[in-house]
Amino acid sequence: MANEVCFRNMDQDRPWLLEQYRSRGGYEVLARILTEKTPPESIINEVKLSGLRGRGGAGFPTGLKWSFISRNAPGQKYVVCNSDEGEPGTFKDRDVLRYNPHQLIEGMVIAGYAIGATCGYNYIRGEFWEPYERFEAALEEARAAGFLGRDLFGSGFDFELHSHLGAGAYICGEETALLESIEGKKGQPRYKPPFPAHYGLYGRPTIINNTESLASIPVILEKGGEWFKQLGVENSGGTKLFSISGNIKNPGVFEIPLGTPFSELLEMAGGMKNGSKIKAVIPGGSSAPIIPGEQMMKLTMDYDAIAKAGSMLGSGAVIVLDDSNCMVKVLERMSYFYYEESCGQCTPCREGTGWLYRVVHRIETGRGRPEDLALLDDMTTKIAGRTICALGDAAAMPVQGMLRHFRDEFKYHIAHKRCLVG
Amino acid sequence: MSDDQMVTIEVDGRELQAKAGALLIEVTDAAGITIPRFCYHKKLSVAANCRMCLVEIAKVPKPMPACATPVNQGMQVFTRSPLALAAQKGTMEFLLINHPLDCPICDQGGECELQDIALGYGRDASRFVEGKRVVPERDIGPLIATDFTRCIHCTRCVRFGAEIAGIRELGATGRGEHMEIGTYIGKSVDSELSGNVIDICPVGSLTSKPFLYSARAWELVQRKGIAPHDSAGSNLNLHVRRNQVMRVHPRDNEGVNECWISDRDRFSYEGLYSADRLTRPLIRKSDKWVEADWQDALDAAAQGLKRARGTSGNRLGALLSPGATLEELYLAQKLMRGLGSENIDFRIRQGDFRGTEPALPWLGQSIAELDELNAALLIGSNIRKEQPILAHRLRKAVLDGAQISFINPLEFDINYPATQLVNSPAGMISDLAAVARALGGSGGLIDGADVNDTHRAVADQLQSAAKATVLLGNLAVAHPDYALLQGLANVIAEKSGALLGYLPEAANSIGARLCGALPGAGGSNALEMLSNPHKGYLLLGVEPGLDFWNPARAMETLGQAEYVVALSAFRSYSLEQVADVILPIAGFAETSGTYVNAQGDWQSFGGAVAPAGDSRPAWKVLRVLGNLLDVSGFDQVSSEEILAEVRQMAGGRRPENSGVNGIDIDPLLDGTGLTRIGDIPIYALDPLVRRAASLQKTRDAIGAGARINRREAEIAGLADGDKVVVKQDKCSAELRVVIDPAVPDGCVRVPAGLAGTETLGGQIGNVTLEKA
């Protein structure tokens, strides 16, 4: 049941070429929709039925997001694809761009038709130079073949799509910061409401979805929402791309149905490297609280199961840690990331992420104080939920998760000024 | 839901009525409920980034920022619940960890929002044991001192630039903790409204550079004042210590300056303490100036005027500054009339007195109404630099969709989208006639005007707008065919249904008219007084080489007079060339008085400090002169008493812009040869601002020069930096050439009011250039 949606072409030679995409029926869904003039409502309903949830990390139902746009509102509307894949541990959208760019393009044109937008942007992470070039080449092919541009399939519907390369800021993966960045401004999240559906790119109604979400659309509409939903489990329809990395044999991206046991995913990735013992797993990118290995081995990979375990499925970035890892060191690295990537707008995040990092760094370097753990506990409650965007929460949650499950390691570090491990 | 639907909310158990959709912080502010905040400012967009105003709202799990949360029916708010206080205190702790807490050496100390709020929400000891952030020093110009180590990143200054000043000069670079406020690499902050960032900065990051380290906030006494330069009449708070004005702040007045003031109004006080402040009377004795006591100086002045007058008052003339107070101007004209002279005028920079002026020219509308305009045509005005506060009002209208056009002899840096018709001074008349013709006007020059698409577009803008105005500015007044400009403007206004308005040059231009500082029957106006020499002159608050339309002629005529009495707050090179006695008078903030602003408000103020040295308020000097010259009615013991007389004289007179006539006048400018455009730069307007040291260091304080575009330079064989002799009438000045693309063909911009231009003629007129 693997590789049904975004990776369904992975068996092909050079699958990113238009020719290859067409050989499996690529752009036929779009052609059908445009020539039959499928009512946009029925497209949105099909997406709703599929149970597709935003694959960028928040898991918000895609069909519902689309329905917030008033299709008949006058003026320009936009479709924006968020390929600013920056969450540490996540590298799945990169592969969509590299291996299946046309499915993403087709998905975006369909999304444009569904909400009445004639223009789209694909915001690609600054470091993704190769995927950017490949996506650009795909855009060229699609334009030349008449799948982008004016009067597509003689339907009178126009759609133009541009890619936009970011400049390396994690925060630009936050959807409103991404919009600011496209507009040429400093990438800082906007206060919401208003949400992009009402006030988006250049102040116009905008839908903004993750790469994997948009690339799933053609398949959903080809095979039906019900089919897609049945691939997964209750509340978690479809398959999902998981980027699995860490102390495992074969790190990589795997498309598996939601609800697949974690143990199966680990097996697909070749199991633990050198047969080492699993210590913990970060199940959804570095912002997701860590889960001890034993507990993780009993979980299935879907939104509800991971949430119940006190973490989140996020973007499907699974980082597996074996018992050679010092949790203080791991947290220090993660905290440094958020300290570097906070946009600086909101006080608690701007000041708090630096403080968190410095305290963890002190503990790691043997200068921890007994009161530091209580300070960290307290600080995270004053950052989480107190900021404009979720970066504050993202910085606080790993700290909270670590201190919940591995507090003793931190205490040991403070008391003995050295690692419990190794 | 209609906009004005009212809802009931509950804040800390108190029921409040509010407009649906109003921001919670506006509602609580109006009710006197204090919610701490840093980034919120009532005149700026909502940023919601400081997170200090977090409050608890029933049924909402997270604390919400009051500055960004609209109220709705039945909303229950807790501003001091455990959740709200924990959030507020949490934010305060974060704000303080990297703040240097250098309050004892910070100018903001004692009036710092961070300090004040920290007292209520901070801890007595910090849990932060790491090193603090330090930001390197940054020089952003002569007016604003910076210390970004203290910055709390509220971005008020950034939003001020984008939203109020209309130029994005300050911005935030860097991410997270490394975020810093600064200018674009190496740039200074040059907006004419820049000083307002000092007020809105909640901490000591942006403070006044001239005031730096000179006093503590708690040593200052606050006195009310009115700005003495442009005609907005901005309301001020003067901060005084030991009889000295230490700094100037805006005083809120929604109908006038809102909460802003121009840099000119904020920093010109420095001029009061300049080296050439006059504190003792001066008498000319065999071509040398000697200090005298008041008795001798007043006697000399009275005797001199008496001698010059001889048997006819008509031999005397008075040239008065429109920046003088109502009381001073009133007594000056009363003195002249008492001596039998009707030669009185304050219109010292007016280039043309033909045609019929309106009864009492004014803005034609209230200042606040400028916000609501849909279209405006400005004629001969660099409004941003002439009237910064009124310019801000127009900009607000533009942001709301208004269309603004300019007909000017120079291209100006307008901080919003606008149509600029830039033409030579003679060409301005053709442009106006063309717009008038496009509107269906006729008569005089209008009939033969060439109408192009731009003229039609300007005409359409005015005609189709629900609220439109046509405004005449300083460069129109200085135009040798001002009467014609005025007449054409009147036709345009009438035909388009727009209001005709004037942008009075100075703080008291309207007051001067109200109190009779104008020539009476048979009297000479300012130009005539200088063309036809009189025996004696009374000068009030002017420098002849810098404040008159034609300084060369003013110097020559005054120099030939038998006796010239000058009342001045400053020593002045050009005054000392022509005067016989100089009586030191109180300057800005040193005297009580009244100004009448562009919308006709009479704004009285008290003296904030005593006059410097032996100087005296001008009204007292004039009263004594009246006594010494045996003129009756000079017994007032207070400025209020004089004001009462003025009120009686003015009666219920309201400003009035009707009655303009003048389209049949023949233009004096024929548009041939090279025309000089002598605008007055923003910081050259009057004797006080010319002496304000810090303002004189800004980029707007340009020096004298001959500015021409590259084409004209090539024709004349001149290059940037060349020395050139500018010849006008029979006079000349040697100046440096500056290549300036803003100057149209056939013109040379030689700003007036600057040292080096005293020897030139009228502000606008024909000149020739010769390479020196």
Side-chain angles (χ1 to χ4, degrees):
Chain A
M1 280 240 297
N3 294 358
E4 295 278 345
V5 184
C6 290
F7 275 10
R8 65 173 174 169
N9 60 346
M10 288 300 259
D11 58 320
Q12 287 181 303
D13 174 38
R14 296 196 290 164
W16 55 86
L17 296 176
L18 177 61
E19 187 189 334
Q20 295 287 52
Y21 185 59
R22 296 277 282 156
S23 73
R24 297 264 178 98
Y27 289 108
E28 278 170 21
V29 176
L30 175 65
R32 194 190 73 222
I33 288 171
L34 291 181
T35 46
E36 287 176 6
K37 301 212 184 310
T38 310
E41 302 75 44
S42 75
I43 295 175
I44 295 176
N45 284 337
E46 203 61 36
V47 176
K48 278 188 184 166
L49 179 66
S50 74
L52 174 64
R53 294 172 61 166
R55 299 299 195 223
F60 191 81
T62 305
L64 190 59
K65 206 176 200 181
W66 290 12
S67 66
F68 291 149
I69 293 228
S70 152
R71 196 179 185 279
N72 298 319
Q76 186 67 55
K77 299 181 207 56
Y78 295 100
V79 175
V80 175
C81 174
N82 185 346
S83 301
D84 191 43
E85 185 175 45
E87 180 75 7
T90 314
F91 42 88
K92 62 180 180 80
D93 294 332
R94 181 179 61 170
D95 281 358
V96 174
L97 295 171
R98 278 156 100 193
Y99 301 119
N100 205 356
H102 283 289
Q103 197 168 309
L104 171 60
I105 295 171
E106 186 175 3
M108 287 187 73
V109 183
I110 294 170
Y113 174 79
I115 64 150
T118 59
C119 182
Y121 288 89
N122 184 17
Y123 188 101
I124 300 175
R125 175 178 172 162
E127 293 85 346
F128 284 1
W129 185 249
E130 181 214 347
Y132 170 77
E133 289 198 311
R134 193 167 282 172
F135 187 74
E136 279 285 297
L139 284 178
E140 277 310 308
E141 283 184 314
R143 278 187 201 114
F147 302 142
L148 284 174
R150 297 210 163 269
D151 192 20
L152 303 179
F153 299 98
S155 65
F157 175 69
D158 306 331
F159 194 83
E160 195 43 87
L161 181 53
H162 311 277
S163 50
H164 181 108
L165 195 66
Y170 170 68
I171 194 60
C172 290
E174 198 279 345
E175 58 183 21
T176 56
L178 185 152
L179 297 178
E180 291 279 298
S181 177
I182 295 183
E183 290 181 13
K185 300 174 187 158
K186 192 169 187 246
Q188 287 188 335
R190 298 176 183 168
Y191 185 79
K192 294 165 285 279
F195 289 94
H198 296 115
Y199 189 92
L201 187 60
Y202 301 111
R204 305 299 312 166
T206 301
I207 56 163
I208 171 160
N209 294 113
N210 169 257
T211 314
E212 183 187 349
S213 309
L214 285 165
S216 303
I217 297 297
V219 185
I220 290 171
L221 295 175
E222 182 196 328
K223 302 200 172 174
E226 189 57 34
W227 169 84
F228 184 83
K229 189 174 163 184
Q230 292 305 327
L231 290 175
V233 293
E234 176 78 30
N235 235 349
S236 297
T239 57
K240 161 119 195 61
L241 300 176
F242 286 93
S243 328
I244 181 164
S245 62
N247 305 119
I248 52 168
K249 273 206 187 88
N250 303 316
V253 184
F254 300 90
E255 181 183 331
I256 54 169
L258 284 165
T260 304
F262 167 73
S263 54
E264 277 181 36
L265 176 62
L266 183 59
E267 211 166 296
M268 289 171 85
M272 299 303 291
K273 204 173 184 178
N274 305 326
S276 61
K277 188 169 178 281
I278 185 166
K279 183 174 186 180
V281 175
I282 299 166
S286 68
S287 310
I290 199 160
I291 297 178
E294 277 170 36
Q295 190 185 354
M296 193 66 204
M297 292 302 281
K298 296 176 202 146
L299 294 178
T300 53
M301 298 306 289
D302 56 86
Y303 293 101
D304 291 352
I306 304 289
K308 230 180 271 170
S311 187
M312 49 185 205
L313 190 69
S315 58
V318 183
I319 303 169
V320 183
L321 303 170
D322 69 15
D323 54 11
S324 68
N325 287 284
C326 162
M327 288 313 194
V328 182
K329 181 93 188 154
V330 170
L331 183 62
E332 184 205 21
R333 188 63 195 80
M334 292 198 295
S335 293
Y336 183 75
F337 176 80
Y338 293 104
Y339 159 56
E340 269 297 309
E341 297 294 346
S342 164
C343 83
Q345 189 176 199
C346 303
T347 306
C349 175
R350 177 185 65 242
E351 306 294 341
T353 50
W355 195 0
L356 282 179
Y357 162 68
R358 287 183 176 89
V359 174
V360 178
H361 176 69
R362 264 202 294 105
I363 299 172
E364 167 62 16
T365 51
R367 292 176 290 134
R369 306 171 309 164
E371 62 268 36
D372 282 343
L373 297 185
L375 177 62
L376 288 174
D377 286 337
D378 185 52
M379 228 195 295
T380 56
T381 65
K382 286 169 177 165
I383 300 171
R386 305 281 163 85
T387 52
I388 288 176
C389 79
L391 195 141
D393 307 66
M397 281 188 295
V399 181
Q400 290 170 336
M402 282 290 193
L403 291 180
R404 189 181 319 132
H405 297 297
F406 300 98
R407 202 174 187 92
D408 286 346
E409 266 191 52
F410 283 79
K411 283 187 179 163
Y412 186 92
H413 243 280
I414 292 170
H416 298 90
K417 307 197 186 306
R418 67 174 196 87
C419 241
L420 186 62
V421 191
Chain B
M1 187 162 64
S2 77
D3 281 350
D4 47 7
Q5 191 186 323
M6 298 300 281
V7 295
T8 306
I9 65 166
E10 193 193 295
V11 181
D12 300 337
R14 213 176 122 188
E15 240 178 48
L16 298 176
Q17 296 288 315
K19 264 191 194 169
L23 296 173
L24 178 56
I25 205 164
E26 295 170 351
V27 178
T28 51
D29 276 358
I33 297 166
T34 310
I35 298 175
R37 87 290 304 270
F38 295 105
C39 69
Y40 172 78
H41 188 279
K42 61 184 177 179
K43 293 285 181 187
L44 302 175
S45 65
V46 170
N49 63 28
C50 79
R51 318 308 285 180
M52 194 63 212
C53 68
L54 293 172
V55 294
E56 183 179 353
I57 294 173
K59 299 192 193 102
V60 181
K62 292 184 195 174
M64 299 293 284
C67 70
T69 303
V71 296
N72 51 48
Q73 178 61 35
M75 186 188 239
Q76 258 189 309
V77 181
F78 308 94
T79 70
R80 298 190 63 80
S81 64
L83 178 69
L85 277 177
Q88 293 158 3
K89 289 181 174 178
T91 297
M92 178 47 75
E93 181 175 29
F94 286 130
L95 282 171
L96 292 179
I97 62 169
N98 273 311
H99 186 81
L101 297 171
D102 59 345
C103 311
I105 55 150
C106 174
D107 255 19
Q108 195 84 353
E111 52 181 1
C112 172
E113 291 174 49
L114 186 65
Q115 209 176 30
D116 291 350
I117 296 175
L119 204 64
Y121 300 86
R123 296 166 180 258
D124 54 355
S126 176
R127 297 191 289 174
F128 185 75
V129 296
E130 330 297 332
K132 290 195 183 222
R133 171 181 56 226
V134 173
V135 181
E137 266 184 48
R138 201 162 283 163
D139 185 356
I140 61 167
L143 304 179
I144 301 163
T146 69
D147 188 332
F148 291 116
T149 300
R150 298 174 184 143
C151 179
I152 58 166
H153 310 88
C154 70
T155 68
R156 279 185 188 172
C157 57
V158 176
R159 284 173 284 145
F160 174 84
E163 295 162 20
I164 308 295
I167 356 176
R168 294 164 186 265
E169 293 183 302
L170 287 169
T173 52
R175 278 201 307 259
E177 218 182 81
H178 309 296
M179 174 168 155
E180 288 176 14
I181 301 294
T183 56
Y184 190 74
I185 305 163
K187 296 271 183 190
S188 50
V189 169
D190 301 322
S191 158
E192 64 285 353
L193 297 173
S194 70
N196 291 295
V197 299
I198 296 166
D199 302 336
I200 61 174
C201 179
V203 297
S205 270
L206 301 169
T207 54
S208 165
K209 204 175 250 187
F211 174 72
L212 195 64
Y213 303 138
S214 58
R216 302 302 323 215
W218 53 89
E219 300 175 297
L220 302 172
V221 177
Q222 179 164 292
R223 303 232 160 85
K224 291 177 180 176
I226 298 295
H229 304 291
D230 59 50
S231 67
S234 291
N235 290 201
L236 308 177
N237 278 322
L238 308 168
H239 291 172
V240 170
R241 184 189 63 178
R242 296 198 289 275
N243 206 30
Q244 187 179 343
V245 179
M246 301 302 294
R247 64 177 183 185
V248 173
H249 276 190
R251 178 157 49 91
D252 284 15
N253 184 337
E254 271 307 296
V256 179
N257 52 305
E258 303 169 78
C259 58
W260 316 118
I261 53 173
S262 65
D263 288 356
R264 189 163 59 187
D265 293 343
R266 182 184 300 271
F267 296 109
S268 68
Y269 74 90
E270 276 196 292
L272 285 175
Y273 309 109
S274 64
D276 52 0
R277 182 64 205 273
L278 187 62
T279 54
R280 298 261 294 151
L282 294 177
I283 298 178
R284 183 201 288 275
K285 281 196 174 140
S286 51
D287 270 350
K288 282 179 90 177
W289 285 99
V290 291
E291 287 191 350
D293 63 26
W294 268 105
Q295 192 61 52
D296 293 346
L298 285 165
D299 280 343
Q303 290 310 314
L305 283 179
K306 204 181 262 180
R307 263 199 320 279
R309 179 185 182 274
T311 55
S312 165
N314 198 32
R315 291 180 188 148
L316 298 179
L319 292 158
L320 313 171
S321 163
T325 67
L326 200 56
E327 293 78 358
E328 291 161 359
L329 291 163
Y330 170 78
L331 283 193
Q333 64 83 30
K334 189 173 184 178
L335 177 69
M336 293 309 285
R337 295 206 153 95
L339 293 170
S341 172
E342 290 292 337
N343 308 322
I344 304 156
D345 210 346
F346 75 93
R347 295 166 298 178
I348 51 182
R349 284 204 183 112
Q350 186 162 325
D352 181 20
F353 288 87
R354 298 168 298 164
T356 317
E357 281 191 325
L360 185 49
W362 70 302
L363 190 58
Q365 54 223 305
S366 73
I367 292 171
E369 276 173 307
L370 295 178
D371 296 6
E372 296 153 18
L373 287 170
N374 307 105
L377 169 62
L378 280 89
I379 301 164
S381 179
N382 183 8
I383 188 166
R384 252 183 88 184
K385 306 294 175 180
E386 291 170 8
Q387 317 272 357
I389 290 296
L390 305 186
H392 164 59
R393 295 282 190 168
L394 272 192
R395 187 170 178 276
K396 284 209 279 184
V398 173
L399 296 182
D400 230 13
Q403 290 176 303
I404 312 278
S405 304
F406 290 84
I407 292 182
N408 272 327
L410 293 168
E411 188 183 336
F412 291 120
D413 185 10
I414 311 289
N415 53 358
Y416 45 79
T419 307
Q420 290 200 60
L421 275 93
V422 180
N423 212 329
S424 66
M428 287 171 69
I429 296 169
S430 322
D431 280 335
L432 280 174
V435 174
R437 189 168 177 204
L439 285 162
S442 62
L445 292 168
I446 299 172
D447 297 334
D450 274 338
V451 183
N452 65 26
D453 286 347
T454 316
H455 300 131
R456 270 186 284 272
V458 171
D460 278 353
Q461 280 174 12
L462 293 174
Q463 207 160 21
S464 59
K467 287 190 82 177
T469 191
V470 176
L471 297 171
L472 289 153
N474 294 359
L475 276 166
V477 175
H479 198 291
D481 292 313
Y482 172 49
L484 208 45
L485 294 183
Q486 193 174 215
L488 290 167
N490 187 46
V491 173
I492 292 170
E494 273 180 6
K495 291 289 175 188
S496 65
L499 277 172
L500 178 65
Y502 292 78
L503 297 165
E505 182 187 50
N508 212 16
S509 298
I510 296 184
R513 288 177 192 266
L514 277 166
C515 71
L518 286 169
S524 299
N525 61 43
L527 267 188
E528 290 164 343
M529 262 185 263
L530 294 170
S531 316
N532 312 319
H534 291 62
K535 296 258 184 212
Y537 289 93
L538 174 71
L539 305 179
L540 172 62
V542 295
E543 292 185 84
L546 303 171
D547 286 322
F548 289 119
W549 185 74
N550 187 331
R553 187 180 296 160
M555 294 296 288
E556 190 188 351
T557 306
L558 294 172
Q560 288 165 1
E562 202 176 297
Y563 204 82
V564 176
V565 176
L567 277 65
S568 172
F570 302 98
R571 291 198 72 140
S572 152
Y573 172 77
S574 65
L575 202 54
E576 286 169 27
Q577 300 291 302
V578 301
D580 295 283
V581 60
I582 306 179
L583 305 173
I585 55 171
F588 161 66
E590 294 177 341
T591 178
S592 57
T594 305
Y595 286 143
V596 184
N597 73 357
Q599 64 181 352
D601 295 339
W602 293 46
Q603 299 192 103
S604 293
F605 45 87
V609 290
D614 284 350
S615 66
R616 293 288 176 268
W619 67 267
K620 288 189 178 170
V621 177
L622 289 163
R623 187 196 59 197
V624 178
L625 275 179
N627 298 147
L628 291 174
L629 288 163
D630 293 328
V631 184
S632 64
F634 278 78
D635 309 312
Q636 301 85 349
V637 295
S638 69
S639 66
E640 287 80 9
E641 214 175 303
I642 309 170
L643 182 62
E645 275 185 51
V646 185
R647 281 200 191 280
Q648 207 167 14
M649 173 183 184
R653 247 181 110 197
R654 286 294 305 158
E656 176 58 63
N657 284 347
S658 65
V660 176
N661 192 351
I663 57 162
D664 293 323
I665 292 166
D666 287 332
L668 290 176
L669 278 183
D670 56 10
T672 60
L674 205 56
T675 310
R676 172 195 179 193
I677 300 155
D679 61 309
I680 309 289
I682 179 168
Y683 301 134
L685 183 72
D686 52 45
L688 179 66
V689 71
R690 284 194 290 261
R691 289 169 174 79
S694 301
L695 288 174
Q696 294 307 326
K697 291 181 206 148
T698 62
R699 288 166 62 87
D700 270 339
I702 56 170
R707 293 160 183 265
I708 46 177
N709 67 31
R710 194 162 297 282
R711 242 164 55 120
E712 288 293 341
E714 274 162 21
I715 292 169
L718 295 168
D720 197 75
D722 279 357
K723 274 191 180 170
V724 70
V725 177
V726 180
K727 291 194 169 174
Q728 187 174 13
D729 306 329
K730 282 167 208 150
C731 17
S732 66
E734 192 177 290
L735 299 169
R736 289 267 179 205
V737 172
V738 180
I739 302 295
D740 185 346
V743 182
D745 289 348
C747 296
V748 51
R749 179 184 174 203
V750 183
L754 301 173
T757 63
E758 299 95 329
T759 52
L760 289 173
Q763 279 175 253
I764 297 177
N766 288 333
V767 290
T768 56
L769 296 184
E770 277 170 32
K771 198 165 174 173

